[in-house]
Amino acid sequence: MMAPAMSQTPRKLKVATVSLAGCFGCHMSFLDIDERLFDLIEHIEFDRSPLTDIKQVGACDIGLIEGCLCNAENVQVLREFRAHCKTLVAVGACAITGGLPAQRNHLDLGQLLTEVYRSRPGLSAGGAIPNDPELPLLLNKVHPIREVVHVDYSLPGCPPSADAFWHFLSDLMAGRTPHLGHGLIHYD
Amino acid sequence: MTDDVSPSQSFSLDGDDLPFASGETILQAATRAGRYIPHLCWHPDFAAHGSCRICSVKVNGRVGAACTVQAAAGLEVESNTPEMNRQRKTLLQMLFVEGNHFCPSCEKSGNCLLQATAYQMGMEGPHFEEFYPSRPVDASHPDILLDFNRCILCELCVRASREVDGKNIFAIGGYGIGTHLLVNSASGQLGDTNMSLDDRAAHICPVGVILPKRRGFVIPIGQRRFDLKPVSQQVEGDAT
């Protein structure tokens, strides 16, 4: 072994991930890269993520955002991610277009909450819409994340395939602009 | 389209000589030669419409719609260039935010020309602010469902119903961003028309507006039309 200064391994990229109004399906599809996770972990380390116990996002190279914005906490977390991540990626249909949760956008929010918490059959008497300040208020409409912060890249799919994740992250880690070709780019 | 192609008549498409017949448009001549020019509202069985602008090409340096510009000897046409494809991607992003294109739950996903064209142009996200239109679904017909929030106003159903079926069931109404597809019955409901699943108009929609009921999700993922081959390699099989 010679020249330890030269053979020093490069600093690992810090990656944070989060699910806003997501279904965690994008995270599951990310984990679907299977044993390639062992290769990946040679090059990255996770910051705040549902996969770690870190509560606050720190300075990161890449932030992967799953899910759209449906409540006040989503907006706050998204802004924290934007402030701490050099490259922010909208992952999945929800983060990119609002996705299927945005189908509530043509319904009245008050009516929706009343429907679920007060007038749904099977509720016990005296049911009320939860009003504790600990709970984040819902936004009037669901929004894709690019309507609140600048987004550097989108990784489409519901969810993106494991191969799309792998291809996309490989490109990013190598410093290339990610490019998904036929078969990897899909919206469904 | 006519078959009297004289080799003496040709124009250049992205540097290749392309023969054409008298009266043909650039898009007709290119399609017959198996050359893909992206398009949404054009269909080989109908007259050009010119609303989607996806087929825009540069003709002798000026932008024109390939579906309406007549082929002429010696034209220099640029189609598959970074500049034109970038413009197409922008047009597609505009169409995507104007409607509710939630592909994950759309029955047309994988068989949708809008989606396949967006894949072809490498559209990763729609970029602009979403409109989220809120037009009610029309489920009044026993066999056919209409979801107007996916309509791209290509007018193919209008043309098919008027010219092939002779029923004149659909129309485009309104102005500006309020322009929308409507049903030509006194109630405005499809159930009050004589539309039938056998009509050409029932199968011409390139996106997921006009759908047969009780027949969703029959083709396995991986075997849908645009799973098999990208749209650029299916240029001659345009009849939906």
Side-chain angles (χ1 to χ4, degrees):
Chain A
M1 293 299 129
M2 48 179 286
M6 296 298 287
S7 66
Q8 223 170 22
T9 48
R11 182 182 72 86
K12 285 184 176 184
L13 290 176
K14 277 215 168 191
V15 177
T17 79
V18 71
S19 177
L20 304 173
C23 70
F24 281 91
C26 290
H27 277 82
M28 295 311 293
S29 198
F30 176 34
L31 297 182
D32 278 342
I33 64 173
D34 296 335
E35 69 271 21
R36 286 174 287 188
L37 269 170
F38 295 114
D39 296 332
L40 187 68
I41 214 70
E42 297 293 317
H43 300 100
I44 70 162
E45 63 182 305
F46 284 106
D47 193 83
R48 177 182 161 168
S49 163
L51 313 169
T52 70
D53 203 26
I54 300 169
K55 310 295 186 205
Q56 287 294 327
V57 62
C60 286
D61 298 288
I62 301 169
L64 304 176
I65 313 284
E66 165 195 334
C68 48
L69 299 161
C70 85
N71 67 32
E73 190 219 6
N74 294 156
V75 176
Q76 187 193 334
V77 170
L78 176 63
R79 287 194 167 133
E80 284 169 10
F81 267 69
R82 177 70 274 183
H84 288 87
C85 301
K86 285 185 203 158
T87 300
L88 199 73
V89 186
V91 177
C94 296
I96 295 171
T97 71
L100 299 190
Q103 290 180 118
R104 84 152 154 94
N105 283 353
H106 68 105
L107 301 170
D108 179 79
L109 183 58
Q111 270 176 7
L112 273 179
L113 290 166
T114 304
E115 184 90 19
V116 172
Y117 289 105
R118 298 192 62 185
S119 57
R120 184 164 46 104
L123 293 177
S124 54
I129 297 170
N131 66 351
D132 193 291
E134 184 146 329
L135 300 171
L137 286 171
L138 295 182
L139 307 177
N140 200 29
K141 284 188 190 287
V142 162
H143 296 275
I145 66 169
R146 70 170 180 281
E147 292 184 2
V148 170
V149 297
H150 174 76
V151 171
D152 297 296
Y153 298 108
S154 296
L155 178 56
C158 185
S161 67
D163 286 340
F165 266 103
W166 180 248
H167 189 92
F168 183 88
L169 289 173
S170 301
D171 276 351
L172 265 193
M173 288 188 301
R176 291 188 296 263
T177 298
H179 177 77
L180 305 165
H182 180 74
L184 289 183
I185 181 166
H186 65 97
Y187 310 145
D188 59 356
Chain B
M1 263 185 256
T2 55
D3 287 321
D4 57 331
V5 180
S6 131
S8 60
Q9 289 198 116
S10 71
F11 63 94
S12 130
L13 176 63
D14 290 331
D16 300 328
D17 269 356
L18 219 69
F20 67 94
S22 304
E24 269 187 335
T25 61
I26 291 170
L27 188 48
Q28 282 174 323
T31 303
R32 195 165 36 72
R35 293 288 297 265
Y36 173 67
I37 296 178
H39 58 267
L40 296 176
C41 68
W42 181 77
H43 190 291
D45 296 352
F46 296 93
H49 188 240
S51 63
C52 77
R53 313 316 285 182
I54 302 291
C55 72
S56 293
V57 291
K58 270 205 173 168
V59 187
N60 290 349
R62 286 180 62 191
V63 175
C67 70
T68 58
V69 177
Q70 285 217 340
L75 288 185
E76 300 255 343
V77 179
E78 298 166 60
S79 172
N80 190 18
T81 61
E83 183 192 359
M84 296 319 294
N85 286 336
R86 208 162 36 238
Q87 181 180 314
R88 289 174 180 131
K89 189 157 103 172
T90 303
L91 290 165
L92 288 160
Q93 288 171 320
M94 289 162 72
L95 286 172
F96 266 81
V97 296
E98 274 180 28
N100 294 336
H101 297 285
F102 303 131
C103 303
S105 67
C106 181
E107 205 280 312
K108 205 63 183 274
S109 192
N111 297 304
C112 170
L113 192 61
L114 175 69
Q115 184 192 59
T117 308
Y119 292 170
Q120 183 73 44
M121 292 299 123
M123 190 190 98
E124 272 130 19
H127 183 75
F128 301 112
E129 192 171 331
E130 300 278 348
F131 280 67
Y132 293 134
S134 184
R135 306 186 191 105
V137 163
D138 182 345
S140 59
H141 193 281
D143 301 318
I144 299 163
L145 178 84
L146 301 178
D147 186 338
F148 296 104
N149 295 315
R150 299 167 179 161
C151 182
I152 58 169
L153 304 171
C154 69
E155 229 173 50
L156 277 170
C157 59
V158 177
R159 290 179 272 168
S161 186
R162 186 176 59 214
E163 292 159 28
V164 181
D165 307 326
K167 293 184 177 179
N168 205 21
I169 285 172
F170 295 102
I172 305 286
Y175 298 95
I177 190 60
T179 307
H180 61 282
L181 180 66
L182 54 85
V183 174
N184 271 330
S185 62
S187 63
Q189 297 284 295
L190 192 66
D192 293 329
T193 67
N194 60 344
M195 177 126 185
S196 144
L197 259 187
D198 302 326
D199 291 352
R200 188 75 198 277
H203 306 282
I204 197 82
C205 182
V207 294
V209 180
I210 305 173
L211 297 169
K213 285 187 176 178
R214 299 176 296 278
R215 223 184 280 167
F217 307 102
V218 287
I219 308 172
I221 288 174
Q223 294 170 32
R224 301 169 304 182
R225 182 177 168 199
F226 297 112
D227 292 337
L228 301 170
K229 273 192 279 182
V231 62
S232 57
Q233 292 172 28
Q234 301 191 40
V235 52
E236 282 158 301
D238 230 354
T240 41

